[in-house]
Amino acid sequence: MEFKMSPKIEKIEHSNKIMGVVVDIENIDPETKIQIEEIKKDGQEIREYRSHSDYIMEEPNSSSKYSERYHTCIGLAIVGTDLVTGKKISILTHHDPVNFNPDLLERNKGKIFVQKMNKNIQEIKKQCIPGSIDAVIFGGNRNYVSSILSFSKADYKKSITELGKMCAENLGFEPTVITGPNMSEDLNNNGTNIYLNTQKCRLYIVRANQEDTKTNNSFAPPDVSKQIKENKWKFKKV
C-alpha cells in the first residue's frame, strides 16, 4: 500500500521527540495519575504476554497505548506523523529478550519475531512523514529470577544492541535507550509499567524508586556495555 502526504498537512511542523517521564510507582503525583488513567481509559492495551520467549506487537495507529508488568521484558515505542491524516501514530512492543538468543533464532521462533519486528518498524516508517519519527527503548530488570524466567547481563546487552541495530537499519537512526534496567530491590514492585500518550509524544515509565538514580539516565544502544561497567550495574546470577 502506498501512502501520499495530504496537501493540507505539508506545512505542519512535525517534530515528534518522545518525552520520557520516570515515575515512582509508590509516589505518583495527582496530575500524572490523571494522565495515566486517561491513557488506560481511552488507549489500546498491549497485553502482557503469557508464555516464555513470546512477544506482543500491534500495527501502527493513532491510539495512545499502555502495557504493564515489564519484568524481564524489553519494549520499543515509535511515534511519527501520518502522511495522510497529519495525526501522530505509534507502535508499542512488549517482548522477551530471549527472542534475540541465537539458539532460539536457529529454531525459527526467533526468526519469526525478528521478521515481525522489522515489518512493524518498516510499516510505521512507510506511513509517516520523513523526519517525523522518534523511537525509544526501555525495560529490563537486574533482579527478576523465577522458576521459569530469568534475565542475565548478556540478555540485556544483546536485546538492547540488536534492537538498536534493527531500528538503525530500518529508520536510519539509532533509538535512545530512555532508561537503564530496573535496579530496584523491591521485589513486590520490580516490574515496569509503560503508558504512551501518542498525540503528546509522552512516555510514562512507572516503576519502583531506583536507589541508583543513574539507571534513570538515557544512553545510546552501542553504549550499553559501557553503561553497565561504569555504573557497576550488577545482574543476579541465573
Side-chain angles (χ1 to χ4, degrees):
M1 182 184 295
E2 280 193 32
F3 297 89
K4 295 184 178 179
M5 192 186 308
S6 167
K8 293 181 180 179
I9 62 173
E10 285 180 348
K11 295 182 181 180
I12 297 175
E13 181 64 37
H14 301 294
S15 177
N16 292 333
K17 190 72 175 175
I18 297 172
M19 178 185 292
V21 182
V22 180
V23 182
D24 179 355
I25 198 168
E26 298 289 353
N27 189 27
I28 305 176
D29 65 273
E31 178 58 32
T32 300
K33 278 186 179 180
I34 291 171
Q35 297 298 322
I36 288 173
E37 287 306 313
E38 286 182 356
I39 292 171
K40 292 185 73 172
K41 178 184 175 183
D42 301 325
Q44 176 185 9
E45 182 180 11
I46 309 301
R47 293 184 178 274
E48 176 191 17
Y49 73 82
R50 296 299 179 187
S51 62
H52 192 33
S53 77
D54 211 343
Y55 50 87
I56 301 293
M57 291 184 223
E58 301 288 346
E59 293 183 356
N61 58 54
S62 60
S63 299
S64 290
K65 298 170 179 65
Y66 68 98
S67 191
E68 299 176 327
R69 295 177 292 277
Y70 287 79
H71 290 295
T72 65
C73 293
I74 300 294
L76 171 69
I78 303 178
V79 178
T81 301
D82 189 278
L83 280 163
V84 178
T85 66
K87 294 182 71 174
K88 294 178 178 65
I89 59 174
S90 65
I91 60 173
L92 180 67
T93 73
H94 189 147
H95 58 271
D96 191 324
V98 78
N99 283 291
F100 289 109
N101 185 303
D103 292 335
L104 189 68
L105 290 174
E106 289 175 5
R107 296 198 299 272
N108 288 325
K109 190 168 185 180
K111 287 182 180 179
I112 295 170
F113 162 78
V114 170
Q115 289 168 359
K116 287 188 175 181
M117 181 69 81
N118 276 316
K119 182 180 177 182
N120 246 25
I121 297 171
Q122 291 163 4
E123 189 65 24
I124 194 168
K125 181 182 179 182
K126 185 168 64 173
Q127 292 185 37
C128 287
I129 294 170
S132 73
I133 293 176
D134 194 23
V136 295
I137 298 171
F138 48 85
N141 192 317
R142 68 106 180 228
N143 278 317
Y144 196 82
V145 178
S146 73
S147 60
I148 301 174
L149 299 175
S150 61
F151 188 73
S152 69
K153 184 191 298 184
D155 290 329
Y156 184 71
K157 289 166 65 174
K158 182 75 172 177
S159 56
I160 294 295
T161 54
E162 291 301 316
L163 195 52
K165 289 177 185 177
M166 193 179 292
C167 287
E169 290 171 1
N170 287 295
L171 298 176
F173 66 89
E174 286 182 337
T176 298
V177 183
I178 203 161
T179 65
N182 189 347
M183 306 294 281
S184 172
E185 296 287 351
D186 183 358
L187 297 183
N188 292 319
N189 282 319
N190 74 339
T192 298
N193 300 330
I194 296 292
Y195 306 93
L196 173 65
N197 185 317
T198 298
Q199 300 309 313
K200 292 182 179 178
C201 292
R202 182 162 293 190
L203 187 78
Y204 296 94
I205 303 124
V206 182
R207 60 187 187 177
N209 185 50
Q210 306 291 298
E211 293 182 10
D212 178 3
T213 57
K214 290 179 182 176
T215 193
N216 289 330
N217 296 339
S218 60
F219 58 92
D223 293 336
V224 61
S225 294
K226 179 182 176 183
Q227 291 291 319
I228 291 172
K229 183 177 180 180
E230 288 186 354
N231 296 320
K232 299 179 181 178
W233 292 340
K234 294 181 179 179
F235 290 74
K236 284 202 171 184
K237 298 292 184 182
V238 177

